[in-house]
């Protein structure tokens, strides 16, 4: 392989690593796939499917929590560019090349978000949108976020272990907090209307929209994104909208309020 320019950072857990299809990870010159698999139960995992793939590296950890796993991947990365990823994606070689070209065309670009093929509706800005300018209803999915590594290191941006699958109270949203921290750290970012990956199923915030942990996450993210007062007056509206996920208004308002209060107590760690 030539010099590695982009590393795709794949978070996995337990036996899920055995289900990663190497055919979904195309060989692309200058691209390496790094898999971080959390294996707290010490399972004997079969990764022989990757025998002969010198562009795939797999590391194992005994801890739990998706955000902790994503931080492992940030620590493992060495290439100039890195793309967040999960273990159930199919990648497009052409899109990967376009992503690398976007970074290399402008050394001032620190973050590039892209369009993934997903089965649920998702709002996107226009191509080359400046990410420092808010786009209504737009928040990138984790595997749509690519970063210049030195900007992440210099900005000290990490995933909060209080968010995401396996977190103690907020069961999602790790990329929402991370993405906003990237913007707040001064990173220059653009949205590129290019398809880099496909996700076959619904994302966590969609298939688990009615779960208390996901609703609490929304309640915690609102004051972070909108400010304390703006979020507070919006809680009833968000609780009313939760009926689309078949969550009764009183329960939704309770979970949202719990998330709001959780943010107030833990805002320095979120």
């Amino acid at each position: 392989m030539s010099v590695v320019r982009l590393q795709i950072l794949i978070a996995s857990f337990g036996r899920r690593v055995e289900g990663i299809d190497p055919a979904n990870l195309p060989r692309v010159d200058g691209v390496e796939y790094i898999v971080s698999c959390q294996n707290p139960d010490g399972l004997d995992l079969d990764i022989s499917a990757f025998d002969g793939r010198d562009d795939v590296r797999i590391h194992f950890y005994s801890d739990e929590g998706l955000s902790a796993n994503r931080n492992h991947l940030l620590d493992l990365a060495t290439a100039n560019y890195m793309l967040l990823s999960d273990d159930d994606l199919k990648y497009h070689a052409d899109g990967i090349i376009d992503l690398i070209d976007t970074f290399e065309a402008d050394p001032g670009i620190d973050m590039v978000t892209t369009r993934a093929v997903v089965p649920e509706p998702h709002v996107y800005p226009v191509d080359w949108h400046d990410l420092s300018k808010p786009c209504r209803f737009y928040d990138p999915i984790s595997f749509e976020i690519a970063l210049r590594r030195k900007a992440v290191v210099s900005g000290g941006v990490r995933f909060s272990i209080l968010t995401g699958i396996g977190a103690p109270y907020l069961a999602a949203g790790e990329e929402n907090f991370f993405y906003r921290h990237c913007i707040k750290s001064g990173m220059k970012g653009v949205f590129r209307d290019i398809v880099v990956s496909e996700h076959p199923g619904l994302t966590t915030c969609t298939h688990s929209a009615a779960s208390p942990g996901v609703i609490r996450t929304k309640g915690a993210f609102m004051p972070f994104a909108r400010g304390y007062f703006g979020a507070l007056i919006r809680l009833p509206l968000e609780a009313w909208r939760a009926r689309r996920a078949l969550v009764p208004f009183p329960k939704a308002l309770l979970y949202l309020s719990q998330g709001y209060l959780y943010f107030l107590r833990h805002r320095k760690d979120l």
Side-chain angles (χ1 to χ4, degrees):
M1 184 190 296
S2 62
V3 175
V4 176
R5 296 181 292 172
L6 170 73
Q7 289 168 323
I8 297 178
L9 310 180
I10 301 173
S12 190
F13 187 92
R15 294 210 177 275
R16 286 181 62 95
V17 73
E18 298 177 329
I20 300 175
D21 185 352
N24 289 337
L25 312 180
R27 289 182 180 270
V28 179
D29 189 45
V31 174
E32 183 177 54
Y33 301 90
I34 301 180
V35 181
S36 174
C37 177
Q38 291 173 310
N39 185 21
D41 297 325
L43 303 174
D44 183 16
L45 301 173
D46 180 8
I47 56 172
S48 60
F50 296 98
D51 290 350
R53 287 292 297 262
D54 61 355
D55 60 338
V56 178
R57 289 196 288 127
I58 302 178
H59 299 260
F60 294 94
Y61 295 89
S62 59
D63 59 358
E64 299 182 54
L66 179 56
S67 286
N69 207 13
R70 294 210 190 279
N71 286 335
H72 291 322
L73 287 160
L74 294 181
D75 292 335
L76 291 167
T78 56
N80 286 340
Y81 321 125
M82 49 194 186
L83 174 63
L84 305 180
S85 181
D86 291 329
D87 58 11
D88 52 357
L89 296 169
K90 177 180 179 180
Y91 279 94
H92 293 204
D94 290 347
I96 292 173
I97 293 170
D98 287 342
L99 174 61
I100 294 172
D101 288 345
T102 299
F103 277 114
E104 301 206 331
D106 184 350
I109 292 178
D110 301 312
M111 177 167 55
V112 178
T113 61
T114 61
R115 176 194 296 269
V117 177
V118 293
E120 61 209 70
H122 200 66
V123 172
Y124 292 98
V126 297
D127 197 19
W128 290 103
H129 173 77
D130 180 352
L131 296 178
S132 68
K133 301 175 181 177
C135 174
R136 195 178 186 199
F137 303 126
Y138 175 65
D139 271 298
I141 308 169
S142 57
F143 45 81
E144 296 176 327
I145 301 173
L147 303 134
R148 192 179 297 270
R149 186 174 61 87
K150 70 176 183 181
V152 175
V153 173
S154 64
V157 185
R158 306 283 286 179
F159 285 90
S160 171
I161 60 173
L162 298 182
T163 60
I165 296 171
Y169 202 67
L170 307 180
E174 77 283 350
E175 72 265 43
N176 302 97
F177 285 95
F178 178 84
Y179 169 71
R180 296 299 178 96
H181 280 302
C182 287
I183 298 296
K184 290 182 178 183
S185 74
M187 290 187 194
K188 177 184 177 183
V190 296
F191 167 76
R192 289 302 326 278
D193 196 6
I194 55 179
V195 174
V196 177
S197 63
E198 297 181 31
H199 188 267
L202 300 174
T203 60
T204 301
C205 286
T206 299
H207 69 63
S208 300
S211 73
V214 170
I215 299 174
R216 289 184 187 119
T217 301
K218 180 176 286 189
F221 183 67
M222 288 169 62
F224 179 78
R226 296 176 174 272
Y228 299 128
F229 182 72
L232 188 62
I233 62 174
R234 195 175 177 85
L235 290 178
L237 174 60
E238 292 299 331
W240 177 250
R241 287 178 171 173
R243 72 190 190 282
R244 292 177 294 191
L246 303 181
V247 182
F249 177 85
K251 279 191 175 181
L253 186 59
L254 172 64
Y255 299 147
L256 287 166
S257 299
Q258 289 172 337
Y260 181 95
L261 293 173
Y262 189 81
F263 174 80
L264 296 183
R265 292 193 299 269
H266 300 281
R267 57 188 177 277
K268 291 183 179 180
D269 297 315
L270 287 169

